Amino acid sequence: MEKNNPFEIAQKQLYTCAKVLNLEDDVVRMLENPMQQVQVSIPVKMDNGTTKVFQGFRIIYNNVLGPAKGGIRFHPEETIDTVRALAAWMTWKCALLDVPLGGGKGGIICNTKELSEGELERLSRSYIDCVWQFIGPDVDVPAPDVYTTPQIMAWMMDEYSKLSGKNQFGVLTGKPLNVGGSAGRGDATAMGGMYTIREAAKEVGMDLSKAKIAIQGFGNAGSFAAKLSQELFGATVVAVSDSKGGVYNPDGLDIAEVLKHKKETKSVINAPNTETITNTQVLELDVDIIIAAALENAITKDNAGNIKATILAELANGPTTPEADEILYKNGIHVIPDFLCNAGGVTASYFEMVQNTYMYYWTAEEVYARLDQKMTKAYHEVLYASKNHNVTMRMGAYTVAVTRVVDAMKTRGWV
Ligand code: NAD
């Protein structure tokens, strides 16, 4: 396996948790690998008349608590091990938030920036043609992830509905509002992260209205996090970054301006009144909070020691390697671990599934209130477990989640 392989990291975290909880070997054997892995070759008619074949994946990691749930990522460097790791983290995330769902994930190796709108639609539909027998509202329910959008979810839901001969709004979440989407789903990941940051600030004694924040990643999770940090807390966002680099203004960025600039130029670089910095510099700024909202392995043993922030909020999945985790713990940095911090997305997705089943839709205020309740409860369960077991916040989260999954496996007679 390559260095910092996300699945190797996910397994390592599980083995550490197994030691803390003193889990039996047969239980660990059942949890260390996915229950089901599907790999498909996806043919797509390209605009120039040729057919291109893409590789795609859909994995159910564990479904003891309910139908699998997890996004579909479109990325040129997607690997099956990334999908396996993300599916494992989805399992722990759903268990931690106490929603009746298992963990899954999917992905396609592709570069969306090189595809026309028509090619993207045909790729999305063709993926469903390949995996539709392995998903379903009570089997495995995908959602958006990196470089997949509500529009892509709508095409996929439509394709699945056609194949199964009836409307199946509940087969995917993160859909547009006019075809079974939920109010509040768009910014739910960031909003959920904000609730955990609010609770963490109380724990470390930080006044959020005076806090300086730097954010790595300016997509769905990161850009909403920037906007909400200002709106909800009155905090100052001094830096944001995307795949091309970062922008910095010590007096605070005008997030609406940066968003406009990103929309027009496809990057945050050179947004008005900003200085350009690197993605590494963003993480090492003298700020109170770092929000990691890009991809895996952003914080490694090479840069963890340079982090000056008091709180690290992991909106991205897997941004910190295990070696980096130890350094952050020793340096007293309060980490809000990924599958707690970014669980707002799946929790709102669960609410979307409930609304699709009932065919009755909630207001955004109702969604946020229920989301706040779930996120706040989970944060305090993790904090309590980390103190109780004398382990990192990440390991605290693992102990809560893995215990729920193991208890259900025992009740169902699996182990
Ligand atoms: P997105 O595609 O909307 O945005 C990703 C952002 O990261 C883009 O701004 C991109 O430019 C930036 N990026 C890519 N490589 C980078 C790099 N090397 N350095 C800095 N920035 C880089 O994706 P998203 O939905 O915002 O997801 C971001 C992270 O949050 C992922 O880890 C994802 O799994 C996680 N997440 C997202 C959701 C959700 O609901 N969107 C839910 C849970 C977790």
Side-chain angles (χ1 to χ4, degrees):
M1 281 186 180
E2 80 258 29
K3 202 167 158 259
N4 291 337
N5 175 307
F7 186 50
E8 202 175 49
I9 290 174
Q11 285 183 317
K12 218 182 223 177
Q13 292 164 342
L14 172 70
Y15 298 143
T16 309
C17 174
K19 273 195 202 133
V20 176
L21 293 175
N22 209 10
L23 293 182
E24 302 90 334
D25 277 353
D26 54 346
V27 171
V28 179
R29 294 293 82 77
M30 193 61 211
L31 293 177
E32 69 188 347
N33 283 301
M35 291 174 58
Q36 177 184 289
Q37 310 181 63
V38 176
Q39 177 165 359
V40 290
S41 295
I42 312 161
V44 179
K45 281 263 180 299
M46 305 303 280
D47 291 347
N48 65 8
T50 62
T51 297
K52 195 167 169 186
V53 180
F54 295 85
Q55 288 303 304
F57 314 99
R58 187 70 203 170
I59 288 179
I60 293 181
Y61 198 86
N62 185 292
N63 62 8
V64 74
L65 289 170
K69 187 90 196 78
I72 300 171
R73 183 178 286 193
F74 284 5
H75 200 277
E77 278 141 44
E78 187 66 309
T79 66
I80 190 157
D81 275 335
T82 310
V83 184
R84 285 181 179 125
L86 292 164
W89 290 324
M90 284 306 300
T91 306
W92 314 135
K93 194 183 302 186
C94 291
L96 177 64
L97 268 290
D98 214 4
V99 293
L101 298 169
K105 201 83 187 186
I108 301 179
I109 305 171
C110 67
N111 188 346
T112 52
K113 292 172 189 164
E114 290 169 0
L115 298 173
S116 70
E117 171 102 346
E119 288 167 342
L120 194 59
E121 175 173 356
R122 291 193 291 281
L123 173 64
S124 305
R125 289 185 184 275
S126 189
Y127 174 73
I128 293 300
D129 296 343
C130 295
V131 303
W132 78 282
Q133 307 209 45
F134 300 98
I135 63 172
D138 50 9
V139 180
D140 179 10
V141 183
D145 193 75
V146 175
Y147 298 132
T148 47
T149 59
Q151 176 61 69
I152 291 175
M153 295 305 110
W155 290 326
M156 289 183 169
M157 177 276 288
D158 184 69
E159 190 68 13
Y160 183 86
S161 295
K162 283 178 179 156
L163 288 164
S164 52
K166 56 186 171 188
N167 262 340
Q168 295 266 25
F169 281 4
V171 69
L172 288 125
T173 59
K175 302 177 293 290
L177 273 179
N178 62 348
V179 286
S182 171
R185 175 63 182 87
D187 61 1
T189 301
M191 187 66 91
M194 293 298 123
Y195 297 140
T196 64
I197 289 174
R198 181 193 64 204
E199 295 307 302
K202 288 182 204 159
E203 172 65 17
V204 303
M206 182 188 292
D207 177 353
L208 283 172
S209 68
K210 297 199 176 83
K212 290 196 169 191
I213 303 184
I215 303 175
Q216 188 197 47
F218 202 62
N220 176 290
S223 64
F224 278 121
K227 194 168 157 270
L228 292 172
S229 298
Q230 293 185 331
E231 281 174 13
L232 299 180
F233 307 141
T236 308
V237 178
V238 296
V240 298
S241 71
D242 59 26
S243 57
K244 302 198 177 81
V247 287
Y248 175 60
N249 182 335
D251 298 324
L253 299 170
D254 180 339
I255 297 303
E257 253 323 306
V258 181
L259 270 170
K260 189 165 156 260
H261 184 80
K262 167 107 187 167
K263 211 168 168 195
E264 284 164 8
T265 67
K266 305 265 181 255
S267 171
V268 296
I269 302 292
N270 294 329
N273 301 318
T274 65
E275 153 191 345
T276 302
I277 56 173
T278 66
N279 256 310
T280 322
Q281 285 173 311
V282 171
L283 297 172
E284 299 177 2
L285 288 170
D286 193 4
V287 292
D288 302 292
I289 302 174
I290 295 283
I291 300 180
L295 292 175
E296 304 84 39
N297 299 327
I299 302 159
T300 66
K301 64 176 172 16
D302 301 328
N303 61 359
N306 301 334
I307 290 187
K308 300 176 190 73
T310 308
I311 294 174
L312 168 64
E314 296 182 340
L315 269 190
N317 282 304
T320 309
T321 64
E323 294 84 3
D325 241 347
E326 279 175 34
I327 298 169
L328 298 176
Y329 189 54
K330 275 194 205 118
N331 290 350
I333 293 166
H334 188 82
V335 176
I336 311 174
D338 51 4
F339 67 83
L340 167 63
C341 191
N342 67 34
V346 75
T347 306
S349 272
Y350 162 60
F351 295 157
E352 185 174 330
M353 288 170 71
V354 171
Q355 294 169 80
N356 290 152
T357 304
Y358 277 88
M359 297 177 75
Y360 181 79
Y361 290 83
W362 308 343
T363 62
E365 288 68 34
E366 284 172 298
V367 171
Y368 294 140
R370 288 181 164 111
L371 183 62
D372 192 353
Q373 211 176 17
K374 284 238 168 247
M375 297 298 301
T376 302
K377 180 166 173 280
Y379 173 86
H380 287 284
E381 282 170 342
V382 170
L383 184 66
Y384 176 80
S386 79
K387 288 181 179 172
N388 193 31
H389 291 292
N390 200 19
V391 291
T392 61
M393 284 286 281
R394 187 180 323 283
M395 220 16 80
Y398 262 93
T399 60
V400 177
V402 171
T403 300
R404 285 187 185 141
V405 171
V406 171
D407 285 353
M409 290 203 303
K410 289 188 173 166
T411 307
R412 288 180 66 161
W414 289 12
V415 285

